[in-house]
Amino acid sequence: MAGARWALLALSVAAAAGTGRAGERLHVCKESEYHYEYTACDSAGSRWRVAVPHAPGLCTGLPDPVRGTECSFSCRAGEFLDMKAQRCRPCAEGTYSLGTGVRFDEWDEVPHGFASVATSLDSDDGFGDAVENCTGSTWVPLGDYVASNTDECTATLMYAVNLKQSGTVSFEYIYPDSSIVFEFFVQNDQCQATVEESRWMRTTEKGWEFHSVELSRGNNVLFWRTTAFSVWSKVPKPVLVRNIGITGVAYTSECFPCKPGTFAAAAGSSSCQPCPANTFSGKGATSCQPCDPDSYAEPGSASCKPRPPCTDKDYFYTHTACDAHGETQLMFKWAEPKVCSEELPQAAKLPPSGGRTRCPPCNPGFAATNGSACQPCPLGSYSNGSGCLSCPAGTEPVLGLEYKWWNVLPPNMETTVLSGINFEYKGIAGWEVAGDYIYTAAGASDNDFMILTLVVPGFSPPSPVLEDTESKEVARITFVFEMICSVNCELYFMVGINSHTNTPVETWTGPRGKQSYTYVVEKNATMSFTWAFQRTPYHEEGRRYTSDVAKLYSINVTNVLGGVASFCRRCAPETSGSCAPCPPGNIMDHGSGTCRPCPPGTYLRGHPSEGPPACHPCGPGTYSNQLRSLCYNNCSAALPLRGRLLRYEFPALAAAAALATGPAFTPRGRRYRHHFRVSLCGPQGRKAAACSDNVTEARLRVVTGYVCQATLVPPDRPRHQGPVSSQPVSLGDRILGVTTSSTLDGITSPPELFPPGHPDLPDIIFFYRSNDVTQPCGAGRATAIRLRCDPLRPGPGTLSVPSKCPEGTCDGCTFHFLWVTGEGCPRCSSSHYRPIVSACLGGIQRTTYVWREPRLCQGGQSLPPQKVRPCRSAEFWLKVGISAGTGAAALLAALAMYFWKKNQKLEYKYSKLVMNAAAKESDLPAPDSCAIMEGEDAEDDLVFATKKSLFGKIKSLTSKRMPDGFDSVPLKTSSGGTAMEL
């Protein structure tokens, strides 16, 4: 209370000072020159009402301050606080109020107090470009609503408000495309986010959705934030927000006038109502004025427009139901709402109706009853449209739904029109039957969405879908369509599960010839399939492109629960006489009508729409699981390497699923991350990689496969919850083979996409296909994973994408990855290490084993332990060498002496021969004792045979030379006298 008194005293002193300074120059204030305000509430919850001039120093003589209402005082919706009387009064006609709140329903410009900013997703962590490159990515006001950005920046719409009491914030929104992550949250004045389970918005499928959040007393900052990301160059639809209302403010001292196109007929209105069609109103209107007969107005219009002359684009044709005679009538109708005039010159007239034609036949599985309506055939029978027939023994009906004749709209289909301006549904048909096709009718405007929805209650597959099978196919839907367009028309195909949000699956733009599309259903639930056609995204007056149409010729859904049959198939008979499907991995033998298992090394593949299933061989490096007859990677492969067979075995991959998370990367211009999960081999062949959409529980979707992709949106505040992953896509759920070849089954993994590896150890390439067939990928998506050995990267290693294709794919259909990990190396063997022998030290020699560099193996054999053996040093062998050399020298000297002796003997004999020859030449008689007679050699032998020592023998062999140069030898006379020397 004391605080309020001091505030009142301060105001009184200020007023007195102003009077003292300029009392003579200022006039007494009139009621129109000032307004009332409340002072701040004191601790007791009291305040004062004071008068404040519209401009400082404008006048004097203001009313004295009086005690104000309690701070908790408030007015109800439709009332305002009359500050003079301090009482709540109802708003006048043509105005409205929220009581203790404010509303923003006009968006010709961003209202005062709002701020729209754009940032990169995580600019300080290297994700994306600088913040200034996103300055143009903001929320844009578009009259009745504000639209988010559609590029890959983060756009935030903010509004700060101070509440005197607890209140709420409510708004309406359109969220048509899950390719945008849309969140709404509230922060207090300490920048702490309030706990809200509804932070992540759900995508909408039926026009505008209402959302409300409670607010606490005090400061509150409201955030509307979007982050868009394009998938394969697809531009998402923007998020739209309108009618933002906030309650809990201090008070509202005035009512707001109704905006043009709306009115408030009664006093005390909390909102204004839009004007009906062909009426208009101005600002603050209490009622709407009708347009002149030659003009028209759309609902909520501020003015009328002149009616254009009718053309052939303003009407359409349809057919009536078949009558008892089996005939139908061709009917022409004006497109609703009718805005054209038939009375103007050159206006087109509605063609006459009533022409009778023969009804088309019933759809397969149906038959005409009483010559008129088509009824489904009973269980156990089939029909081609003319009559119901029972299935033969040993066969069973193939249940489904097939529509190829369009005389009336089937009972499980409905059609409507969604306004492209304010996204509200209209009570008119968007598609019309035309005999052999169904086509889009003329909407209210060219940017309206023409909606057609087919609801299937569930499915009954012929055999149970097993958890560890490669294909989770429960059913499939196939339709044939055509688009005739002169501008940028679009056809959307969406799928909803259990009445939840429709998720866009495929989009076609521009004219398209007659073609077929197939979508595989992988969950047994109530499914809704929706086709939405928009002629142009731009709103223009009148109908200019009514001739742009989309046509559906046929729709075929398989395995429908409670469906009908157009043919019967062979089945394995049971003892009770009924049919049972073949167990997994078994094929029907049409000759005997029994089931037989697929041979080893093959697996069962096929679909009834593609012909009878057959056993196909497994790809290279894989084997068949005989329990399910599905091919799995056996985590080992015998692969040819430069003419020799090298067996790779991956030690960790064989034991458990080795998961790897792709690198968090942000290509230039992106504001998000792609998140990849890969499993080359799971335990017992199970696939262990899974991607899930955790934006909201209602939009939860899990893709389980060998290779899958999600989009990560990391939090921008550390204290907030973990990153959000959305838009899961299966990239490869069926393995084709494991090989070192760059091509398999039409899939090519160019080696130039990645840096080269080791020349002696090629990459092991895992090839996959996905069952998800899309319009640009008619054969489904494909994935090639190069497994490269690097022992320095243990565990999951690193997963990278080509630098030329930062999203992992260059064409949107085939994805390429390089997985570098030690788990991809061959098992170590004796060829991967070498010995090193040390010198002999102290009589010991050591042998150590080391890995060959670079090491290209892991696991397997370990390095052998160090070996130690005794040895002899070099000194020992030196002594042995010297001794052996000395012995060899002595032997060589003895041999030399021996051969020298033999040479002396030969010289002696030679000299005797020379002497005899000289005697013959002189004709002197020679004594017979000097001739060389028989037995002379005995004398020589006698000389050498004398026993002497070794030194004596050597000395006796030495003879003195005569002066003439001849050797002296002892001779005997013939008479036996004393020997004489010659």
Side-chain angles (χ1 to χ4, degrees):
M1 202 56 147
R5 291 175 179 173
W6 278 111
L8 179 61
L9 179 62
L11 290 173
S12 301
V13 172
T19 304
R21 288 193 307 265
E24 298 179 357
R25 292 183 288 110
L26 298 179
H27 62 277
V28 178
C29 293
K30 303 176 182 178
E31 289 189 8
S32 59
E33 294 178 331
Y34 63 88
H35 61 277
Y36 292 106
E37 291 184 4
Y38 280 126
T39 60
C41 295
D42 57 19
S43 59
S46 300
R47 56 187 175 183
W48 292 83
R49 189 202 70 177
V50 296
V52 179
H54 295 324
L58 178 65
C59 57
T60 188
L62 295 172
D64 294 333
V66 297
R67 185 177 298 275
T69 59
E70 296 296 327
C71 291
S72 60
F73 176 82
S74 63
C75 295
R76 295 177 299 178
E79 297 179 340
F80 73 100
L81 179 62
D82 185 354
M83 293 291 291
K84 183 176 181 180
Q86 297 195 69
R87 296 175 54 187
C88 294
R89 298 185 183 277
C91 291
E93 297 87 348
T95 62
Y96 75 98
S97 78
L98 300 179
T100 58
V102 292
R103 182 184 298 274
F104 303 96
D105 53 7
E106 293 187 62
W107 293 91
D108 295 326
E109 59 182 3
V110 177
H112 178 71
F114 280 85
S116 180
V117 297
T119 61
S120 62
L121 191 63
D122 197 356
S123 59
D124 57 351
D125 197 20
F127 300 109
D129 295 334
V131 177
E132 54 267 17
N133 291 342
C134 293
T135 53
S137 304
T138 59
W139 290 73
V140 180
L142 296 175
D144 293 332
Y145 51 81
V146 58
S148 73
N149 64 319
T150 57
D151 57 11
E152 293 162 348
C153 293
T154 299
T156 305
L157 183 67
M158 298 182 297
Y159 183 75
V161 61
N162 185 280
L163 301 186
K164 297 300 181 181
Q165 58 187 2
S166 298
T168 59
V169 55
S170 61
F171 58 91
E172 298 178 26
Y173 70 96
I174 286 286
Y175 181 14
D177 198 334
S178 59
S179 296
I180 295 181
V181 176
F182 177 36
E183 56 180 328
F184 172 75
F185 59 95
V186 182
Q187 287 184 353
N188 56 21
D189 48 5
Q190 280 81 35
C191 296
Q192 296 176 344
T194 58
V195 179
E196 282 294 337
E197 296 180 357
S198 56
R199 174 190 181 103
W200 306 102
M201 300 291 100
R202 298 182 180 181
T203 54
T204 56
E205 60 179 359
K206 293 184 178 180
W208 292 92
E209 292 284 346
F210 179 82
H211 185 72
S212 178
V213 175
E214 294 184 357
L215 301 178
S216 302
R217 180 180 177 180
N219 293 323
N220 293 266
V221 183
L222 315 179
F223 293 87
W224 291 265
R225 176 171 295 171
T226 58
T227 301
F229 54 90
S230 61
V231 180
W232 302 306
S233 302
K234 175 186 173 183
V235 179
K237 296 293 182 180
V239 176
L240 308 181
V241 176
R242 71 176 185 183
N243 294 338
I244 300 176
I246 304 172
T247 63
V249 297
Y251 56 86
T252 175
S253 58
E254 61 178 349
C255 296
F256 301 97
C258 294
K259 66 177 183 178
T262 62
F263 71 100
S269 297
S270 59
S271 62
C272 299
Q273 303 298 321
C275 290
N278 296 324
T279 63
F280 72 98
S281 70
K283 188 174 184 179
T286 58
S287 62
C288 298
Q289 304 298 321
C291 296
D292 296 334
D294 58 348
S295 62
Y296 75 100
E298 297 177 354
S301 297
S303 61
C304 296
K305 304 171 185 177
R307 292 182 180 271
C310 292
T311 65
D312 57 356
K313 302 181 183 299
D314 293 311
Y315 62 83
F316 63 94
Y317 63 93
T318 185
H319 291 264
T320 62
C322 293
D323 56 18
H325 303 285
E327 293 181 341
T328 179
Q329 289 183 324
L330 180 65
M331 306 296 294
F332 291 92
K333 297 180 180 180
W334 291 110
E336 296 294 337
K338 183 183 178 183
V339 298
C340 64
S341 174
E342 305 175 62
E343 309 300 330
L344 295 176
Q346 300 180 350
K349 303 297 181 181
L350 192 68
S353 302
R356 294 180 176 272
T357 57
R358 191 68 183 173
C359 283
C362 295
N363 283 308
F366 293 82
T369 57
N370 300 327
S372 59
C374 294
Q375 299 295 331
C377 290
L379 184 64
S381 61
Y382 69 100
S383 170
N384 60 0
S386 57
C388 298
L389 301 174
S390 298
C391 288
T395 63
E396 62 178 352
V398 180
L399 300 181
L401 289 176
E402 184 177 359
Y403 303 112
K404 63 179 183 179
W405 302 109
W406 304 92
N407 185 60
V408 293
L409 196 67
N412 59 343
M413 299 183 73
E414 62 180 9
T415 178
T416 185
V417 176
L418 176 65
S419 172
I421 304 176
N422 51 17
F423 287 89
E424 293 177 341
Y425 284 89
K426 302 179 179 179
I428 58 178
W431 293 68
E432 294 290 343
V433 295
D436 56 351
Y437 61 87
I438 182 173
Y439 75 104
T440 51
S445 62
D446 288 334
N447 70 324
D448 286 348
F449 290 92
M450 322 306 290
I451 308 296
L452 177 67
T453 302
L454 167 65
V455 179
V456 177
F459 304 94
S460 57
S463 59
V465 178
L466 302 175
E467 187 65 27
D468 59 349
T469 56
E470 292 181 349
S471 175
K472 298 298 188 300
E473 179 175 341
V474 174
R476 60 174 56 188
I477 177 173
T478 303
F479 56 89
V480 178
F481 69 98
E482 182 184 13
M483 296 171 62
I484 303 173
C485 302
S486 58
V487 289
N488 53 340
C489 63
E490 288 186 319
L491 176 64
Y492 300 88
F493 176 63
M494 299 175 286
V495 177
I497 302 177
N498 292 331
S499 301
H500 286 168
T501 302
N502 279 332
T503 302
V505 173
E506 194 61 56
T507 305
W508 297 271
T509 304
R512 298 278 177 170
K514 194 173 181 180
Q515 58 187 276
S516 174
Y517 175 80
T518 299
Y519 174 78
V520 176
V521 180
E522 296 184 347
K523 186 174 184 180
N524 194 349
T526 300
M527 306 288 290
S528 62
F529 305 101
T530 302
W531 294 264
F533 179 74
Q534 186 182 35
R535 292 177 169 88
T536 176
Y538 307 104
H539 177 67
E540 297 180 2
E541 298 296 334
R543 300 183 181 96
R544 301 176 55 187
Y545 308 110
T546 307
S547 57
D548 293 3
V549 296
K551 297 180 179 180
L552 283 174
Y553 291 92
S554 64
I555 301 175
N556 185 13
V557 188
T558 64
N559 303 335
V560 176
L561 182 65
V564 295
S566 59
F567 64 98
C568 300
R569 64 185 167 198
R570 193 71 179 265
C571 60
E574 291 184 336
T575 55
S576 60
S578 60
C579 286
C582 290
N586 288 257
I587 189 172
M588 173 65 65
D589 188 348
H590 294 276
S592 61
T594 59
C595 298
R596 59 178 178 85
C598 286
T602 64
Y603 70 104
L604 189 65
R605 188 179 71 180
H607 190 271
S609 63
E610 302 170 352
C615 298
H616 292 260
C618 293
T622 63
Y623 72 100
S624 61
N625 180 354
Q626 294 304 311
L627 180 62
R628 302 295 183 215
S629 283
L630 297 172
C631 289
Y632 295 113
N633 172 26
N634 61 4
C635 298
S636 64
L639 303 172
L641 179 60
R642 292 190 176 181
R644 56 191 176 96
L645 200 62
L646 179 63
R647 184 173 183 83
Y648 288 87
E649 293 181 356
F650 312 115
L653 296 180
L659 299 180
T661 301
F665 67 95
T666 305
R668 180 173 179 82
R670 307 294 189 204
R671 295 297 181 272
Y672 58 90
R673 308 179 186 181
H674 284 319
H675 175 68
F676 300 101
R677 290 177 67 90
V678 177
S679 175
L680 295 184
C681 179
Q684 298 180 357
R686 291 181 181 270
K687 296 173 285 295
C691 294
S692 62
D693 174 0
N694 62 354
V695 173
T696 60
E697 182 180 358
R699 296 174 54 215
L700 183 62
R701 179 187 175 197
V702 177
V703 176
T704 303
Y706 284 108
V707 187
C708 55
Q709 171 194 5
T711 302
L712 278 185
V713 182
D716 57 345
R717 293 175 302 279
R719 300 181 60 182
H720 183 54
Q721 59 183 349
V724 176
S725 65
S726 64
Q727 202 73 12
V729 177
S730 177
L731 303 182
D733 48 28
R734 177 164 55 92
I735 187 169
L736 300 178
V738 186
T739 176
T740 56
S741 176
S742 298
T743 302
L744 180 65
D745 195 25
I747 306 173
T748 301
S749 175
E752 59 271 11
L753 291 179
F754 298 101
H758 196 276
D760 294 331
L761 192 63
D763 298 334
I764 308 300
I765 308 176
F766 289 71
F767 291 91
Y768 300 90
R769 281 199 187 278
S770 172
N771 291 324
D772 293 343
V773 177
T774 60
Q775 190 269 335
C777 307
R781 299 186 183 94
T783 301
I785 302 175
R786 287 182 168 267
L787 186 64
R788 181 171 296 176
C789 167
D790 188 352
L792 300 180
R793 300 185 187 181
T798 59
L799 190 69
S800 60
V801 295
S803 58
K804 298 180 181 178
C805 312
E807 294 185 4
T809 176
C810 301
D811 56 3
C813 297
T814 303
F815 290 78
H816 306 275
F817 300 97
L818 176 63
W819 193 350
V820 182
T821 172
E823 312 299 342
C825 298
R827 292 185 182 273
C828 294
S829 63
S830 58
S831 62
H832 292 100
Y833 57 82
R834 61 185 178 88
I836 297 179
V837 181
S838 66
C840 185
L841 299 176
I844 296 177
Q845 188 175 48
R846 303 177 186 274
T847 302
T848 306
Y849 296 90
V850 295
W851 296 111
R852 297 183 184 275
E853 293 298 337
R855 179 183 173 183
L856 299 175
C857 68
Q858 187 172 1
Q861 296 184 9
S862 302
L863 286 175
Q866 187 183 63
K867 295 182 179 180
V868 179
R869 65 184 182 89
C871 63
R872 294 184 176 181
S873 62
E875 295 178 357
F876 172 81
W877 291 111
L878 181 60
K879 295 178 181 179
V880 173
I882 293 174
S883 301
T886 304
L891 179 61
L892 289 176
L895 291 176
M897 294 300 296
Y898 171 75
F899 287 110
W900 179 79
K901 171 187 173 183
K902 296 291 290 183
N903 186 52
Q904 288 293 98
K905 183 178 180 180
L906 292 176
E907 288 184 357
Y908 168 71
K909 291 180 178 182
Y910 177 73
S911 61
K912 290 173 65 175
L913 292 176
V914 171
M915 292 172 61
N916 291 337
K920 289 179 180 180
E921 291 178 0
S922 61
D923 294 329
L924 290 177
D928 54 349
S929 59
C930 293
I932 299 176
M933 302 299 293
E934 184 179 357
E936 185 180 352
D937 290 338
E939 297 179 5
D940 299 331
D941 296 336
L942 184 62
V943 176
F944 294 100
T946 305
K947 290 184 179 179
K948 298 180 181 179
S949 63
L950 178 62
F951 180 76
K953 290 180 179 180
I954 296 175
K955 184 178 181 181
S956 64
L957 293 175
T958 306
S959 301
K960 295 182 178 180
R961 288 277 181 177
M962 297 301 290
D964 55 1
F966 292 98
D967 292 332
S968 175
V969 296
L971 298 177
K972 293 189 303 179
T973 62
S974 60
S975 61
T978 304
M980 52 180 300
E981 280 189 3
L982 293 178

